Amino acid sequence: MTAVGNGAQTAGRPTRLPRSARRKQLLAAAQEVFVAQGYHAAAMDDIAERAGVSKPVLYQHFPGKMELYLALLDTHCDAIVAKVQDAMRGTTSNKERVSASVRAYFDFVDHESEAFRLVFESDLRNDPAVRQRVERVEQGCIAAITDTIISDTGVSRAHAELLASGLVGAAETAAQFWLASGRQVPKAEAEALVAALSWRGIASFPLQGESA
């Protein structure tokens, strides 16, 4: 098994990296092991070996396997929420906002790291700490879209949250289905199809000041 990172070892001894760089290296190794084996089958020995460090070095940064897993979840959960927030803020075109939101989910599931499996396919979904983070992704994405819908249409928060949950659910489910079915539709075309479906629904709600 090849060690992650550059210069993980020199002459049989671990290279001294800055703490932040070492942490990044360990998280990268842990991600590869968790994605390949799942949480329960993964072992700290496997992660240390993958990173090219000793177990004591690994434990200096993370007291246990769960702490490693949660640190990875935090990173990727925050990333997908940030992408949806950026989709809302990056343009004033609501049609492009819908497209960018859908694209965020397709990009996430299609990334070569397969980090989406930690968020959407975790074998720890029933663990309270993991469940809280996964729910935070959904709630964060819904909140970003809700605020935009309220701002543009003036509908109530309850109505806006329901609409936003539909958009998020469609994008997430379609992206995972697209990947699981073997990418039979080209990615750009798949994104456009899902975005068009969502846009045709949300576009029926007039902007504030417009007649229905």
Side-chain angles (χ1 to χ4, degrees):
M1 186 176 289
T2 304
V4 169
N6 294 324
Q9 290 187 344
T10 302
R13 299 178 61 187
T15 301
R16 294 186 64 84
L17 295 175
R19 186 171 182 83
S20 60
R22 179 68 77 194
R23 179 182 171 87
K24 184 177 180 181
Q25 177 200 23
L26 296 175
L27 287 171
Q31 179 171 306
E32 292 185 7
V33 173
F34 285 137
V35 166
Q37 301 181 22
Y39 177 84
H40 292 295
M44 292 294 269
D45 284 326
D46 299 327
I47 295 168
E49 181 183 353
R50 184 72 185 89
V53 301
S54 65
K55 281 181 67 177
V57 169
L58 179 57
Y59 281 113
Q60 285 174 10
H61 293 264
F62 299 97
K65 187 168 69 167
M66 177 59 78
E67 286 76 14
L68 255 174
Y69 195 83
L70 294 179
L72 280 170
L73 271 185
D74 284 335
T75 297
H76 294 299
C77 289
D78 291 345
I80 185 64
V81 172
K83 285 189 174 185
V84 173
Q85 291 173 337
D86 289 344
M88 296 297 103
R89 299 167 182 160
T91 178
T92 57
S93 165
N94 286 327
K95 186 175 183 179
E96 180 53 35
R97 284 169 171 163
V98 171
S99 296
S101 297
V102 170
R103 191 180 311 120
Y105 278 92
F106 274 81
D107 286 347
F108 186 50
V109 303
D110 194 42
H111 195 276
E112 63 182 7
S113 70
E114 296 189 272
F116 80 95
R117 300 191 187 281
L118 302 178
V119 179
F120 297 139
E121 298 180 1
S122 173
D123 53 354
L124 277 180
R125 291 292 288 265
N126 291 328
D127 180 271
V130 173
R131 185 170 63 249
Q132 184 271 332
R133 284 162 170 79
V134 173
E135 289 174 351
R136 191 178 76 212
V137 173
E138 182 176 292
Q139 292 165 358
C141 293
I142 289 173
I145 297 172
T146 294
D147 290 341
T148 300
I149 292 174
I150 291 174
S151 175
D152 284 0
T153 68
V155 300
S156 71
R157 176 161 294 276
H159 285 79
E161 285 177 338
L162 189 58
L163 291 169
S165 70
L167 290 173
V168 167
E172 178 184 326
T173 301
Q176 291 186 73
F177 178 83
W178 170 79
L179 186 70
S181 61
R183 300 179 175 90
Q184 296 182 47
V185 178
K187 181 168 176 274
E189 185 178 343
E191 292 171 0
L193 283 170
V194 177
L197 175 65
S198 297
W199 173 243
R200 286 171 186 169
I202 199 68
S204 66
F205 292 83
L207 298 175
Q208 292 197 72
E210 293 183 354
S211 299

